[in-house]
Amino acid sequence: MDAIILAGGYGTRLRPLTYTRPKPLLPVAGRPMIEWVLDRLPPEVSRVIVAVNWKAQALGAYLQNRPGKAARDRRTFIVVKEDEPLGTAGAVKNCEKFLTSDSFFVLNADIVSRMDLGAMLKAHRAARAVGTIALKEVPLADVVNFGVIQPGATTPAGTTTIQGFVEKPKDPALAPSRLINAGAYLLERRVRSLIPAGKMVSMEKEIFPQLIPQGFHGFGIDGPWIDVGDPKRLLDACHTLDAHFKAGPEFRLGDHATFTGSVAGKGCTVRASAHVEGCVLGDGVTVDTGVHLKDCVVGDGEFVRDSATAQRIWTKPVPAGYPASQVGNAL
Ligand code: GTP
């Protein structure tokens, strides 16, 4: 069975970390984000098609040569490059010629969770759905950030029929429930023909509504679930997965320096009497003696000389081709 991993976003909300690395390779509690997603794949999945765009080469190189235990993963990886971002459904269409199975998974590359995709596959098959999406219940105030479903009946297969889908409701009062699209879905082959080729198409806005009359189901998931879209949620994900995680290898903390509620990549130094709080540091960052950083995101290789609060710290030019604002959410 095939799984498509959507890994082509720019991750603009995580800049400047994503200036130098594709979002799926940003470390979460010491492992690239995409590894947490690959962990969730059930044994039925033997081929993984990764839809990439920004920093495609870096992601392809990583997948060809995964370190540690991951090197023993016998799955086949196919990296499919988009010349420009095609949106969540356009990316699936672009991978069509590599799909070999009738049912296939589509997974966002930036969801850290313990969702049971094997159970979802069983329920999807038993319900004979055309599409099944993983559903997570979130607090009402959070629904505005996600696609929200209108639930129908519960089926004997353990799924819920979906009667409506509202992508990012403007107000929580407009949301039909607190059940959101958890960024993992199973689709049947015929869904592919609903997606026009060669253009930007949103799965959530343009394709899901068409599935409702054809048998569109949801499958509830339990346990931790974090959409690692912005720095705060990256910190949450690190601390949820490993409450003691602070930094990658070769981390140096000087005398009387503090490093709290923060994470750092590899080879970072926080010099004497510096204080770092609520920050995300990329690889090879140095925070100079006595500097106070609060709620900052610091790009790879930066040397931070001045104290700052709520800043994105990056002193080099923004890489060519990186967008000035979010791309996918504009759809
Ligand atoms: P922001 O720029 O911060 O919004 O991040 P993003 O570009 O990653 O967008 P978002 O978080 O909404 O994307 C959710 C998932 O879909 C991520 O795993 C992205 O990599 C992926 N994704 C978004 N747009 C595209 C696209 O156009 N093509 C592909 N292949 N993947 C995409």
Side-chain angles (χ1 to χ4, degrees), residues 49-66:
I49 301 162
V50 190
V52 296
N53 171 46
W54 176 245
K55 299 273 173 202
Q57 247 184 336
L59 195 51
Y62 174 81
L63 291 170
Q64 294 316 319
N65 202 5
R66 288 162 71 204

Side-chain angles (χ1 to χ4, degrees), residues 2-315:
D2 301 335
I4 295 178
I5 303 210
L6 297 174
Y10 287 100
T12 54
R13 288 165 296 161
L14 284 165
R15 70 185 188 286
L17 301 170
T18 45
Y19 288 163
T20 42
R21 264 180 292 180
K23 180 159 90 170
L25 292 187
L26 293 182
V28 179
R31 295 172 80 209
M33 199 182 289
I34 197 168
E35 291 292 352
W36 297 103
V37 178
L38 295 171
D39 282 351
R40 307 317 313 150
L41 290 175
E44 286 85 347
V45 174
S46 55
R47 298 170 79 252
V48 182
I49 301 162
V50 190
V52 296
N53 171 46
W54 176 245
K55 299 273 173 202
Q57 247 184 336
L59 195 51
Y62 174 81
L63 291 170
Q64 294 316 319
N65 202 5
R66 288 162 71 204
K69 281 193 204 142
R72 295 203 291 271
D73 184 351
R74 291 281 162 255
R75 293 187 175 99
T76 302
F77 285 89
I78 300 164
V79 174
V80 180
K81 166 102 168 77
E82 291 157 42
D83 292 330
E84 52 192 72
L86 290 170
T88 42
V92 169
K93 187 73 177 176
N94 195 48
C95 292
E96 192 172 24
K97 58 179 175 294
F98 300 100
L99 284 170
T100 56
S101 57
D102 280 339
S103 322
F104 57 94
F105 279 101
V106 181
L107 307 176
N108 285 7
D110 56 355
I111 302 292
V112 163
S113 75
R114 301 230 191 272
M115 63 174 99
D116 184 347
L117 294 179
M120 179 160 129
L121 176 60
K122 281 197 193 82
H124 169 81
R125 285 180 173 158
R128 297 177 177 275
V130 66
T132 300
I133 61 175
L135 298 177
K136 176 75 185 166
E137 193 167 67
V138 297
L140 189 61
D142 291 352
V143 293
V144 291
N145 300 312
F146 303 106
V148 189
I149 67 126
Q150 183 182 341
T154 303
T155 71
T159 61
T160 304
T161 58
I162 296 179
Q163 297 191 327
F165 189 87
V166 182
E167 181 63 12
K168 300 196 179 82
K170 293 238 163 359
D171 189 299
L174 301 173
S177 73
R178 292 194 290 125
L179 293 170
I180 59 133
N181 169 10
Y185 23 103
L186 267 160
L187 299 175
E188 288 302 305
R189 177 182 286 269
R190 64 182 187 274
V191 175
R192 290 154 40 176
S193 58
L194 301 174
I195 310 171
K199 58 183 275 212
M200 196 162 200
V201 188
S202 161
M203 192 65 86
E204 298 80 359
K205 290 191 175 161
E206 296 167 74
I207 306 304
F208 285 168
Q210 296 185 56
L211 301 185
I212 291 169
Q214 301 186 36
F216 190 34
H217 292 225
F219 182 78
I221 56 154
D222 299 319
W225 178 90
I226 301 170
D227 165 13
V228 192
D230 60 31
K232 186 180 168 306
R233 287 186 269 157
L234 178 61
L235 285 170
D236 277 359
C238 291
H239 295 135
T240 301
L241 292 164
D242 178 354
H244 304 292
F245 183 83
K246 274 194 185 307
E250 295 161 49
F251 179 67
R252 284 174 293 266
L253 191 63
D255 291 343
H256 310 296
T258 59
F259 189 78
T260 49
S262 301
V263 294
K266 56 181 183 224
C268 290
T269 301
V270 175
R271 288 188 174 165
S273 305
H275 298 290
V276 176
E277 185 190 340
C279 295
V280 184
L281 313 185
D283 286 350
V285 169
T286 301
V287 180
D288 204 4
T289 309
V291 166
H292 288 215
L293 284 187
K294 188 169 181 333
D295 301 333
C296 290
V297 185
V298 186
D300 287 343
E302 287 290 319
F303 189 102
V304 186
R305 288 186 176 79
D306 300 311
S307 296
T309 299
Q311 298 289 314
R312 308 277 174 145
I313 298 175
W314 183 253
T315 52

